C-alpha cells in the first residue's frame, strides 16, 4: 500500500498539469467575448464549426500555438464555435471555416491568410502584435 500512494499522487499531479495546459486556448462565446477583449489584450481567434474537417485538422496545431505563445507574447489565443454563436461570427463577417483573425481590443481585425502550420501561425502572431 505504501508504494501505491506515491504513484497515485504523481498521477493526480500529472492530471492537474494536463488540465491546466488544456485551458491555454480559451473558448469564447457571445457572453464572454467582449469582456475578454476588455482586458486590453489582442486575441488571435479561430472561428470554427465542430463538423468542419479543416477545423478538426487545425485543432491540435491551434492548441500547440496557445501553449507556445502562453506567457511569451501579449496575446490571447481563443476559439469561437460558430454553430452555437452565430451572431458573434456574423459580427466578424465569418464566411467560411476555419476563419482566423486577430481581434484587437478596439474591435479592429486583421484576417490571417497564411499557412496553417505552427511556425507560420506563430510568426504571424509575433509580427502582428504590438
Amino acid at each position: 500500500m505504501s508504494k501505491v500512494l506515491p504513484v497515485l499522487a504523481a498521477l493526480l499531479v500529472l492530471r492537474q498539469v494536463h488540465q491546466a495546459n488544456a485551458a491555454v486556448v480559451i473558448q469564447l462565446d457571445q457572453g464572454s467575448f467582449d469582456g475578454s477583449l476588455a482586458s486590453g489584450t489582442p486575441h488571435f481567434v479561430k472561428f470554427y464549426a465542430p463538423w468542419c474537417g479543416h477545423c478538426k485538422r487545425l485543432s491540435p496545431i491551434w492548441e500547440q500555438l496557445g501553449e507556445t505563445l502562453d506567457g511569451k507574447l501579449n496575446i490571447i489565443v481563443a476559439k469561437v464555435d460558430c454553430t452555437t454563436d452565430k451572431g458573434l461570427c456574423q459580427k466578424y463577417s465569418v464566411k467560411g471555416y476555419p476563419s482566423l483573425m486577430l481581434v484587437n481590443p478596439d474591435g479592429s481585425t486583421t484576417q490571417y491568410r497564411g499557412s496553417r502550420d505552427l511556425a507560420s501561425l506563430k510568426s504571424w502572431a509575433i509580427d502582428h502584435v504590438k
Side-chain angles (χ1 to χ4, degrees):
M1 184 70 160
S2 64
K3 292 180 182 179
V4 174
L5 289 177
V7 172
L8 289 175
L11 288 174
L12 182 60
V13 169
L14 286 174
R15 181 174 176 225
Q16 290 171 336
V17 168
H18 175 74
Q19 288 173 337
N21 285 341
V24 174
V25 174
I26 60 170
Q27 181 77 43
L28 295 174
D29 58 26
Q30 188 75 39
S32 62
F33 198 90
D34 289 338
S36 188
L37 275 180
S39 71
T41 303
H43 288 48
F44 196 6
V45 182
K46 174 180 80 167
F47 293 93
Y48 72 99
W51 48 259
C52 164
H54 295 294
C55 301
K56 290 177 185 179
R57 281 189 290 281
L58 180 60
S59 280
I61 296 166
W62 199 251
E63 294 296 326
Q64 286 179 316
L65 179 67
E67 291 171 13
T68 301
L69 297 180
D70 186 42
K72 296 175 185 76
L73 187 64
N74 184 33
I75 193 168
I76 292 172
V77 179
K79 58 187 177 181
V80 173
D81 180 348
C82 290
T83 65
T84 58
D85 286 292
K86 293 177 181 158
L88 188 56
C89 296
Q90 288 173 346
K91 176 180 177 178
Y92 287 98
S93 303
V94 174
K95 303 286 187 225
Y97 309 118
S99 287
L100 309 176
M101 67 181 70
L102 182 69
V103 182
N104 292 300
D106 66 3
S108 64
T109 62
T110 304
Q111 187 81 31
Y112 176 81
R113 300 190 190 280
S115 297
R116 295 179 183 164
D117 60 88
L118 181 60
S120 298
L121 290 162
K122 179 182 175 185
S123 176
W124 188 88
I126 290 168
D127 290 345
H128 284 80
V129 173
K130 298 162 181 74

